[in-house]
Amino acid sequence: LFFLEWQLFARVLEEWKLNCPNCGKSSVAEIFWGYPGNIESMEAAIDRKEIVLGGCCVTDHDPKWECNDCGHQWGERDE
């Protein structure tokens, strides 16, 4: 199920044409916050740069997106 969710996310991201507000490039990944229960299911999405690991320490002010080109992070993480 997790893999299917990331495939759907990749298609939605492509439709949105989300661009980095810092450099304007469209190579953007969603930041995954928290401890991944099954990292193996995420490896393909990480390799395709659709997601990046944000870390285990989750706060109320974590960004949602990261630019794969310049590293800029922005947006607000969903609960």
Side-chain angles (χ1 to χ4, degrees), residues 27-63:
S27 181
V28 174
E30 184 171 9
I31 304 171
F32 179 88
W33 293 98
Y35 187 80
N38 184 0
I39 191 72
E40 292 82 21
S41 67
M42 300 171 70
E43 286 178 348
I46 292 170
D47 290 344
R48 291 189 304 269
K49 297 184 177 185
E50 295 170 355
I51 61 172
V52 294
L53 300 178
C56 296
C57 297
V58 180
T59 71
D60 292 334
H61 308 288
D62 299 318

Side-chain angles (χ1 to χ4, degrees), residues 3-75:
F3 178 70
L4 295 175
E5 290 172 355
W6 283 110
Q7 284 181 327
L8 176 60
F9 166 73
R11 280 182 271 167
V12 168
L13 190 61
E14 178 65 26
E15 290 174 14
W16 283 350
K17 303 285 189 212
L18 188 63
N19 291 331
C20 173
N22 187 55
C23 71
K25 303 267 179 86
S26 62
S27 181
V28 174
E30 184 171 9
I31 304 171
F32 179 88
W33 293 98
Y35 187 80
N38 184 0
I39 191 72
E40 292 82 21
S41 67
M42 300 171 70
E43 286 178 348
I46 292 170
D47 290 344
R48 291 189 304 269
K49 297 184 177 185
E50 295 170 355
I51 61 172
V52 294
L53 300 178
C56 296
C57 297
V58 180
T59 71
D60 292 334
H61 308 288
D62 299 318
K64 181 172 182 162
W65 307 107
E66 180 174 301
C67 178
N68 289 319
D69 291 303
C70 73
H72 179 69
Q73 296 180 339
W74 75 98

